[in-house]
Amino acid sequence: MHALKKHRPLRRVTLAAATTVTGFVLLLSLKPHTAPTVAQATSSAGQSQSPSRSPSSGSTSGSSSAGSSGSTKSTATKTVTGDTVQTRWGPVQVRVTLKNGKITDVTAVSYPSDNPRDQEINSYALPQLRREALAAQSAQIDSVSGATYTSDGYQQSLQSALDSAGL
């Protein structure tokens, strides 16, 4: 009977050591927090918006990218698509419509929508970000609580579109 009691402390020590090692490995396997980064232009088939780095014209068909980026107060309506920004939860890309140098419309071209939670978050975040951008007439907008990554990607893509438009 004493022989069994001697082995129990050793089993407890072994179990405690194994649990500690397992917990440590799980802790190290967590992904660190990363800030959103701007995606590099590639020639992949999935990147159909890569020519959008240069301003595209909405109603004027004969303007070149050099000519349209120089004039900020044109009377024509101009539509510019910003860079695709890779966030932790997926890409974010914004299209801006400008008239007379003012932002008249902002549309999210791509945004995270892989799961129901992404769809729920973006159903309230994207309209709020659009309202903020139209009111501010710039990319200096507040982030939406609960949609920080999407907000940061939205701001970066909006700023790149405005930079491409020459604003």
Side-chain angles (χ1 to χ4, degrees), residues 6-20:
K6 283 186 175 179
H7 293 297
R8 285 188 180 170
L10 185 58
R11 288 181 187 166
R12 289 181 190 156
V13 169
T14 304
L15 182 61
T19 304
T20 303

Side-chain angles (χ1 to χ4, degrees), residues 6 9 15 29 48 78 84 98 106 128 130 152 157 163:
K6 283 186 175 179
L15 182 61
S29 68
S48 63
K78 188 183 345 180
T84 300
L98 305 160
V106 182
Q128 188 170 342
R130 180 182 182 274
D152 291 346
S157 184
D163 290 345

Side-chain angles (χ1 to χ4, degrees), residues 75-118:
T75 58
T77 301
K78 188 183 345 180
T79 302
V80 184
T81 304
D83 293 335
T84 300
V85 178
Q86 292 297 329
T87 67
R88 180 176 181 180
W89 305 113
V92 177
Q93 188 175 30
V94 175
R95 180 176 296 133
V96 180
T97 304
L98 305 160
K99 184 171 184 172
N100 298 328
K102 292 194 171 200
I103 300 173
T104 58
D105 190 26
V106 182
T107 307
V109 178
S110 65
Y111 50 90
S113 59
D114 293 338
N115 60 53
R117 181 69 176 142
D118 289 341

Side-chain angles (χ1 to χ4, degrees), residues 14-71:
T14 304
L15 182 61
T19 304
T20 303
V21 169
T22 303
F24 189 68
V25 167
L26 289 174
L27 182 65
L28 291 177
S29 68
L30 289 175
K31 289 184 179 182
H33 173 74
T34 56
T37 58
V38 178
Q40 299 295 324
T42 60
S43 61
S44 66
Q47 190 83 342
S48 63
Q49 297 292 334
S50 62
S52 65
R53 287 185 171 258
S54 64
S56 63
S57 154
S59 61
T60 29
S61 60
S63 66
S64 67
S65 65
S68 64
S69 66
S71 66

